[in-house]
Amino acid sequence: MRFIKKGLGQVPEVTNEEDELKILEDFSTKSCYDALVGDLEQCNFQKFVWKNNIPHKVSFLLWEGFQNVIPTRLMLRHRGIQVESELCLFCDAERETTEHMFMHCNFSSVVWDYFIKAFKILWPLPRTLLELFGAWSINVLHGRGRKIWEILPYTIC
């Protein structure tokens, strides 16, 4: 491809030459992958789990949720255990996963909505449990409202 100089810059001219794309010198998919993954912060759910003011049984349940090892119907079937259905026991509409059970089931959504509306805010629930706790930890509340906001997801879960 040749370029013709015009008033607005170089405009490509169509030719019969072979197209060629140069991204970087010594480009490879490995170097691209290393560049993308190398600087990413590791997903650390530990900062949300083991807290002094959270009961150990709640922390353990959340630890299981972050590890995706809660024995949901989908997980039990995956482990080879015979279950009647993969559908949620409460809503019977979607597959029972950790995220569905804690956040997206119609029954749990009602609980989340109740408390979120009590703070008079609009707040959509994220897709995953880790995203929920990550987003929940970013708030601008002060005083007693902030303390309640910080323990609320533990209480609801």
Side-chain angles (χ1 to χ4, degrees), residues 91-133:
C91 69
D92 200 35
E94 292 187 40
R95 293 165 59 186
E96 188 180 88
T97 64
T98 300
E99 277 77 19
H100 175 75
M101 222 171 45
F102 282 124
M103 299 165 37
H104 303 297
C105 178
N106 292 337
F107 288 90
S108 58
S109 292
V110 168
V111 177
W112 285 107
D113 285 346
Y114 175 81
F115 286 103
I116 289 170
K117 285 178 183 173
F119 279 89
K120 297 183 171 112
I121 59 172
L122 294 174
W123 200 77
L125 286 174
R127 285 180 303 119
T128 67
L129 201 55
L130 185 58
E131 288 174 359
L132 170 78
F133 276 83

Short mmCIF file of all heavy atoms in Angstrom, two decimals, residues 91-133:
data_model
loop_
_atom_site.label_atom_id
_atom_site.label_comp_id
_atom_site.label_asym_id
_atom_site.label_seq_id
_atom_site.Cartn_x
_atom_site.Cartn_y
_atom_site.Cartn_z
N CYS A 91 -36.19 -20.00 43.46
CA CYS A 91 -36.92 -19.37 42.34
C CYS A 91 -37.22 -20.36 41.21
O CYS A 91 -38.09 -20.09 40.39
CB CYS A 91 -36.14 -18.18 41.79
SG CYS A 91 -34.62 -18.61 40.93
N ASP A 92 -36.51 -21.45 41.15
CA ASP A 92 -36.70 -22.48 40.13
C ASP A 92 -36.65 -21.89 38.71
O ASP A 92 -37.33 -22.37 37.80
CB ASP A 92 -38.03 -23.21 40.35
CG ASP A 92 -38.05 -24.56 39.66
OD1 ASP A 92 -37.00 -25.23 39.60
OD2 ASP A 92 -39.13 -24.95 39.15
N ALA A 93 -35.86 -20.81 38.55
CA ALA A 93 -35.80 -20.14 37.25
C ALA A 93 -34.40 -20.17 36.63
O ALA A 93 -34.27 -20.21 35.42
CB ALA A 93 -36.26 -18.69 37.38
N GLU A 94 -33.36 -20.14 37.47
CA GLU A 94 -31.99 -20.13 36.97
C GLU A 94 -31.15 -21.16 37.69
O GLU A 94 -31.53 -21.64 38.76
CB GLU A 94 -31.38 -18.73 37.17
CG GLU A 94 -32.02 -17.67 36.31
CD GLU A 94 -31.27 -16.36 36.40
OE1 GLU A 94 -30.03 -16.39 36.42
OE2 GLU A 94 -31.94 -15.33 36.44
N ARG A 95 -30.00 -21.47 37.09
CA ARG A 95 -29.09 -22.43 37.71
C ARG A 95 -28.58 -21.88 39.04
O ARG A 95 -28.26 -20.71 39.16
CB ARG A 95 -27.93 -22.72 36.78
CG ARG A 95 -28.40 -23.45 35.54
CD ARG A 95 -27.40 -23.47 34.43
NE ARG A 95 -26.15 -24.09 34.83
CZ ARG A 95 -25.08 -24.13 34.07
NH1 ARG A 95 -25.09 -23.59 32.89
NH2 ARG A 95 -23.98 -24.70 34.50
N GLU A 96 -28.51 -22.75 40.03
CA GLU A 96 -28.09 -22.34 41.37
C GLU A 96 -26.57 -22.28 41.45
O GLU A 96 -25.90 -23.29 41.55
CB GLU A 96 -28.64 -23.31 42.42
CG GLU A 96 -28.41 -22.86 43.84
CD GLU A 96 -28.98 -23.84 44.83
OE1 GLU A 96 -28.26 -24.78 45.20
OE2 GLU A 96 -30.16 -23.67 45.20
N THR A 97 -26.05 -21.07 41.35
CA THR A 97 -24.62 -20.82 41.52
C THR A 97 -24.45 -19.95 42.76
O THR A 97 -25.43 -19.45 43.32
CB THR A 97 -24.04 -20.06 40.31
OG1 THR A 97 -24.66 -18.78 40.23
CG2 THR A 97 -24.25 -20.83 39.02
N THR A 98 -23.21 -19.76 43.17
CA THR A 98 -22.95 -18.91 44.33
C THR A 98 -23.47 -17.50 44.09
O THR A 98 -24.16 -16.93 44.94
CB THR A 98 -21.44 -18.87 44.63
OG1 THR A 98 -20.99 -20.20 44.90
CG2 THR A 98 -21.13 -17.98 45.80
N GLU A 99 -23.14 -16.93 42.93
CA GLU A 99 -23.58 -15.57 42.63
C GLU A 99 -25.10 -15.47 42.56
O GLU A 99 -25.69 -14.51 43.04
CB GLU A 99 -22.97 -15.07 41.31
CG GLU A 99 -21.58 -14.52 41.45
CD GLU A 99 -20.51 -15.59 41.59
OE1 GLU A 99 -20.78 -16.76 41.24
OE2 GLU A 99 -19.41 -15.26 42.05
N HIS A 100 -25.72 -16.47 41.97
CA HIS A 100 -27.18 -16.44 41.88
C HIS A 100 -27.78 -16.49 43.29
O HIS A 100 -28.67 -15.70 43.61
CB HIS A 100 -27.70 -17.61 41.05
CG HIS A 100 -29.19 -17.69 41.04
ND1 HIS A 100 -29.98 -16.82 40.30
CD2 HIS A 100 -30.04 -18.49 41.72
CE1 HIS A 100 -31.25 -17.11 40.51
NE2 HIS A 100 -31.31 -18.12 41.38
N MET A 101 -27.28 -17.39 44.11
CA MET A 101 -27.83 -17.58 45.44
C MET A 101 -27.68 -16.32 46.30
O MET A 101 -28.62 -15.89 46.95
CB MET A 101 -27.08 -18.73 46.12
CG MET A 101 -27.95 -19.66 46.88
SD MET A 101 -27.09 -21.13 47.44
CE MET A 101 -25.57 -20.55 48.08
N PHE A 102 -26.49 -15.73 46.31
CA PHE A 102 -26.22 -14.59 47.17
C PHE A 102 -26.72 -13.26 46.62
O PHE A 102 -26.98 -12.34 47.37
CB PHE A 102 -24.73 -14.44 47.44
CG PHE A 102 -24.21 -15.40 48.46
CD1 PHE A 102 -23.16 -16.24 48.15
CD2 PHE A 102 -24.75 -15.46 49.73
CE1 PHE A 102 -22.66 -17.12 49.08
CE2 PHE A 102 -24.26 -16.34 50.66
CZ PHE A 102 -23.21 -17.18 50.35
N MET A 103 -26.82 -13.14 45.29
CA MET A 103 -27.05 -11.82 44.73
C MET A 103 -28.21 -11.72 43.74
O MET A 103 -28.94 -10.74 43.75
CB MET A 103 -25.78 -11.34 44.02
CG MET A 103 -24.60 -11.22 44.94
SD MET A 103 -23.00 -11.08 44.13
CE MET A 103 -23.30 -10.10 42.72
N HIS A 104 -28.36 -12.68 42.85
CA HIS A 104 -29.25 -12.48 41.71
C HIS A 104 -30.56 -13.25 41.74
O HIS A 104 -31.41 -13.03 40.88
CB HIS A 104 -28.49 -12.81 40.42
CG HIS A 104 -27.26 -11.99 40.26
ND1 HIS A 104 -27.29 -10.62 40.13
CD2 HIS A 104 -25.95 -12.33 40.24
CE1 HIS A 104 -26.06 -10.15 40.02
NE2 HIS A 104 -25.23 -11.17 40.09
N CYS A 105 -30.73 -14.10 42.70
CA CYS A 105 -32.01 -14.80 42.85
C CYS A 105 -33.07 -13.76 43.21
O CYS A 105 -32.78 -12.78 43.89
CB CYS A 105 -31.92 -15.86 43.94
SG CYS A 105 -33.47 -16.74 44.22
N ASN A 106 -34.28 -13.96 42.76
CA ASN A 106 -35.36 -13.01 43.08
C ASN A 106 -35.49 -12.80 44.59
O ASN A 106 -35.75 -11.69 45.05
CB ASN A 106 -36.69 -13.49 42.51
CG ASN A 106 -36.70 -13.46 41.00
OD1 ASN A 106 -35.95 -12.73 40.37
ND2 ASN A 106 -37.55 -14.28 40.41
N PHE A 107 -35.31 -13.86 45.36
CA PHE A 107 -35.46 -13.76 46.81
C PHE A 107 -34.33 -12.95 47.43
O PHE A 107 -34.57 -12.11 48.29
CB PHE A 107 -35.53 -15.16 47.44
CG PHE A 107 -36.82 -15.85 47.14
CD1 PHE A 107 -36.95 -16.64 46.02
CD2 PHE A 107 -37.92 -15.69 47.98
CE1 PHE A 107 -38.15 -17.27 45.73
CE2 PHE A 107 -39.12 -16.31 47.70
CZ PHE A 107 -39.24 -17.10 46.57
N SER A 108 -33.10 -13.17 47.01
CA SER A 108 -31.99 -12.39 47.57
C SER A 108 -32.01 -10.96 47.03
O SER A 108 -31.63 -10.02 47.73
CB SER A 108 -30.64 -13.06 47.29
OG SER A 108 -30.44 -13.25 45.91
N SER A 109 -32.47 -10.76 45.80
CA SER A 109 -32.57 -9.41 45.24
C SER A 109 -33.51 -8.53 46.05
O SER A 109 -33.26 -7.34 46.21
CB SER A 109 -33.05 -9.46 43.79
OG SER A 109 -32.09 -10.04 42.97
N VAL A 110 -34.57 -9.11 46.56
CA VAL A 110 -35.51 -8.36 47.39
C VAL A 110 -34.81 -7.85 48.65
O VAL A 110 -35.00 -6.69 49.05
CB VAL A 110 -36.74 -9.24 47.76
CG1 VAL A 110 -37.58 -8.59 48.84
CG2 VAL A 110 -37.56 -9.53 46.53
N VAL A 111 -33.98 -8.68 49.24
CA VAL A 111 -33.26 -8.27 50.45
C VAL A 111 -32.26 -7.17 50.13
O VAL A 111 -32.20 -6.15 50.83
CB VAL A 111 -32.54 -9.49 51.10
CG1 VAL A 111 -31.73 -9.06 52.30
CG2 VAL A 111 -33.55 -10.56 51.47
N TRP A 112 -31.47 -7.34 49.06
CA TRP A 112 -30.51 -6.31 48.65
C TRP A 112 -31.24 -5.00 48.38
O TRP A 112 -30.82 -3.93 48.83
CB TRP A 112 -29.73 -6.75 47.42
CG TRP A 112 -28.68 -7.76 47.70
CD1 TRP A 112 -28.71 -9.08 47.38
CD2 TRP A 112 -27.43 -7.55 48.36
NE1 TRP A 112 -27.57 -9.70 47.80
CE2 TRP A 112 -26.76 -8.78 48.40
CE3 TRP A 112 -26.82 -6.43 48.93
CZ2 TRP A 112 -25.51 -8.93 48.99
CZ3 TRP A 112 -25.57 -6.59 49.51
CH2 TRP A 112 -24.93 -7.82 49.54
N ASP A 113 -32.33 -5.06 47.62
CA ASP A 113 -33.08 -3.85 47.28
C ASP A 113 -33.59 -3.13 48.52
O ASP A 113 -33.56 -1.90 48.60
CB ASP A 113 -34.26 -4.19 46.37
CG ASP A 113 -33.85 -4.50 44.95
OD1 ASP A 113 -32.70 -4.20 44.58
OD2 ASP A 113 -34.67 -5.05 44.20
N TYR A 114 -34.07 -3.88 49.49
CA TYR A 114 -34.60 -3.28 50.71
C TYR A 114 -33.54 -2.42 51.39
O TYR A 114 -33.79 -1.26 51.75
CB TYR A 114 -35.10 -4.37 51.65
CG TYR A 114 -35.55 -3.83 52.99
CD1 TYR A 114 -36.82 -3.28 53.14
CD2 TYR A 114 -34.71 -3.87 54.09
CE1 TYR A 114 -37.24 -2.77 54.36
CE2 TYR A 114 -35.12 -3.36 55.32
CZ TYR A 114 -36.37 -2.81 55.44
OH TYR A 114 -36.78 -2.30 56.65
N PHE A 115 -32.35 -2.98 51.58
CA PHE A 115 -31.31 -2.25 52.30
C PHE A 115 -30.70 -1.13 51.46
O PHE A 115 -30.37 -0.06 51.98
CB PHE A 115 -30.23 -3.21 52.80
CG PHE A 115 -30.69 -4.03 53.97
CD1 PHE A 115 -31.07 -5.35 53.81
CD2 PHE A 115 -30.77 -3.46 55.23
CE1 PHE A 115 -31.50 -6.10 54.89
CE2 PHE A 115 -31.21 -4.20 56.31
CZ PHE A 115 -31.58 -5.52 56.15
N ILE A 116 -30.56 -1.36 50.19
CA ILE A 116 -30.00 -0.30 49.32
C ILE A 116 -30.96 0.89 49.26
O ILE A 116 -30.53 2.04 49.34
CB ILE A 116 -29.68 -0.87 47.92
CG1 ILE A 116 -28.47 -1.81 48.02
CG2 ILE A 116 -29.42 0.24 46.92
CD1 ILE A 116 -28.19 -2.61 46.78
N LYS A 117 -32.25 0.61 49.17
CA LYS A 117 -33.24 1.70 49.15
C LYS A 117 -33.28 2.43 50.48
O LYS A 117 -33.59 3.62 50.53
CB LYS A 117 -34.62 1.16 48.78
CG LYS A 117 -34.75 0.82 47.32
CD LYS A 117 -36.10 0.25 46.98
CE LYS A 117 -36.15 -0.12 45.51
NZ LYS A 117 -37.38 -0.84 45.17
N ALA A 118 -32.96 1.75 51.57
CA ALA A 118 -32.92 2.40 52.88
C ALA A 118 -31.85 3.49 52.91
O ALA A 118 -31.99 4.48 53.64
CB ALA A 118 -32.66 1.38 53.98
N PHE A 119 -30.80 3.34 52.13
CA PHE A 119 -29.76 4.36 52.03
C PHE A 119 -30.11 5.41 50.97
O PHE A 119 -29.33 6.32 50.73
CB PHE A 119 -28.41 3.72 51.69
CG PHE A 119 -27.72 3.14 52.89
CD1 PHE A 119 -27.95 1.83 53.28
CD2 PHE A 119 -26.84 3.91 53.63
CE1 PHE A 119 -27.32 1.30 54.39
CE2 PHE A 119 -26.20 3.39 54.73
CZ PHE A 119 -26.44 2.08 55.12
N LYS A 120 -31.25 5.24 50.34
CA LYS A 120 -31.75 6.17 49.32
C LYS A 120 -30.76 6.36 48.17
O LYS A 120 -30.45 7.49 47.78
CB LYS A 120 -32.10 7.51 49.95
CG LYS A 120 -33.23 7.40 50.95
CD LYS A 120 -33.63 8.72 51.50
CE LYS A 120 -34.88 8.55 52.30
NZ LYS A 120 -34.83 8.71 53.67
N ILE A 121 -30.27 5.23 47.67
CA ILE A 121 -29.36 5.27 46.52
C ILE A 121 -29.83 4.26 45.48
O ILE A 121 -30.60 3.35 45.79
CB ILE A 121 -27.89 4.95 46.91
CG1 ILE A 121 -27.80 3.55 47.54
CG2 ILE A 121 -27.34 6.00 47.82
CD1 ILE A 121 -26.38 3.09 47.77
N LEU A 122 -29.38 4.45 44.26
CA LEU A 122 -29.58 3.46 43.21
C LEU A 122 -28.24 2.77 43.02
O LEU A 122 -27.23 3.43 42.76
CB LEU A 122 -30.01 4.14 41.91
CG LEU A 122 -31.37 4.81 41.94
CD1 LEU A 122 -31.60 5.57 40.65
CD2 LEU A 122 -32.46 3.77 42.15
N TRP A 123 -28.23 1.47 43.17
CA TRP A 123 -26.97 0.75 43.11
C TRP A 123 -27.21 -0.62 42.49
O TRP A 123 -27.80 -1.49 43.12
CB TRP A 123 -26.41 0.61 44.52
CG TRP A 123 -24.97 0.33 44.59
CD1 TRP A 123 -23.95 1.21 44.40
CD2 TRP A 123 -24.35 -0.93 44.89
NE1 TRP A 123 -22.75 0.58 44.56
CE2 TRP A 123 -22.97 -0.73 44.86
CE3 TRP A 123 -24.85 -2.19 45.16
CZ2 TRP A 123 -22.06 -1.74 45.11
CZ3 TRP A 123 -23.94 -3.20 45.41
CH2 TRP A 123 -22.57 -2.97 45.37
N PRO A 124 -26.77 -0.83 41.24
CA PRO A 124 -26.95 -2.14 40.62
C PRO A 124 -25.97 -3.15 41.20
O PRO A 124 -24.83 -2.80 41.51
CB PRO A 124 -26.66 -1.86 39.14
CG PRO A 124 -25.72 -0.70 39.17
CD PRO A 124 -26.11 0.13 40.36
N LEU A 125 -26.42 -4.37 41.35
CA LEU A 125 -25.53 -5.41 41.85
C LEU A 125 -24.57 -5.85 40.76
O LEU A 125 -24.98 -6.11 39.63
CB LEU A 125 -26.35 -6.62 42.33
CG LEU A 125 -27.07 -6.43 43.66
CD1 LEU A 125 -27.94 -7.64 43.94
CD2 LEU A 125 -26.10 -6.21 44.78
N PRO A 126 -23.30 -5.97 41.08
CA PRO A 126 -22.32 -6.47 40.11
C PRO A 126 -22.57 -7.94 39.77
O PRO A 126 -23.44 -8.59 40.35
CB PRO A 126 -20.98 -6.30 40.83
CG PRO A 126 -21.23 -5.32 41.91
CD PRO A 126 -22.66 -5.50 42.30
N ARG A 127 -21.77 -8.47 38.85
CA ARG A 127 -21.95 -9.85 38.40
C ARG A 127 -21.47 -10.86 39.42
O ARG A 127 -22.08 -11.90 39.61
CB ARG A 127 -21.18 -10.09 37.10
CG ARG A 127 -21.80 -9.49 35.87
CD ARG A 127 -20.98 -9.78 34.62
NE ARG A 127 -19.61 -9.30 34.77
CZ ARG A 127 -18.52 -10.06 34.73
NH1 ARG A 127 -18.62 -11.32 34.50
NH2 ARG A 127 -17.33 -9.53 34.90
N THR A 128 -20.32 -10.61 40.06
CA THR A 128 -19.72 -11.61 40.93
C THR A 128 -19.66 -11.12 42.38
O THR A 128 -19.75 -9.93 42.65
CB THR A 128 -18.28 -11.95 40.48
OG1 THR A 128 -17.45 -10.81 40.68
CG2 THR A 128 -18.26 -12.39 39.02
N LEU A 129 -19.45 -12.06 43.27
CA LEU A 129 -19.33 -11.77 44.69
C LEU A 129 -18.11 -10.89 44.96
O LEU A 129 -18.18 -9.94 45.75
CB LEU A 129 -19.24 -13.09 45.46
CG LEU A 129 -19.59 -13.10 46.93
CD1 LEU A 129 -20.97 -12.55 47.18
CD2 LEU A 129 -19.47 -14.51 47.49
N LEU A 130 -17.00 -11.17 44.30
CA LEU A 130 -15.80 -10.37 44.49
C LEU A 130 -16.01 -8.94 44.00
O LEU A 130 -15.62 -7.98 44.66
CB LEU A 130 -14.61 -11.01 43.76
CG LEU A 130 -13.26 -10.33 43.98
CD1 LEU A 130 -12.91 -10.28 45.45
CD2 LEU A 130 -12.18 -11.05 43.21
N GLU A 131 -16.67 -8.77 42.85
CA GLU A 131 -16.97 -7.43 42.34
C GLU A 131 -17.90 -6.70 43.31
O GLU A 131 -17.77 -5.49 43.51
CB GLU A 131 -17.61 -7.51 40.96
CG GLU A 131 -16.67 -7.92 39.86
CD GLU A 131 -17.38 -8.13 38.53
OE1 GLU A 131 -18.63 -7.99 38.46
OE2 GLU A 131 -16.70 -8.46 37.55
N LEU A 132 -18.83 -7.42 43.90
CA LEU A 132 -19.75 -6.82 44.86
C LEU A 132 -18.99 -6.24 46.04
O LEU A 132 -19.16 -5.07 46.39
CB LEU A 132 -20.75 -7.86 45.37
CG LEU A 132 -21.61 -7.40 46.56
CD1 LEU A 132 -22.73 -6.50 46.08
CD2 LEU A 132 -22.15 -8.58 47.32
N PHE A 133 -18.11 -7.03 46.65
CA PHE A 133 -17.37 -6.55 47.81
C PHE A 133 -16.38 -5.45 47.43
O PHE A 133 -16.17 -4.52 48.20
CB PHE A 133 -16.69 -7.71 48.52
CG PHE A 133 -17.60 -8.42 49.48
CD1 PHE A 133 -18.47 -9.39 49.03
CD2 PHE A 133 -17.62 -8.09 50.82
CE1 PHE A 133 -19.33 -10.03 49.89
CE2 PHE A 133 -18.48 -8.72 51.70
CZ PHE A 133 -19.33 -9.70 51.24
#
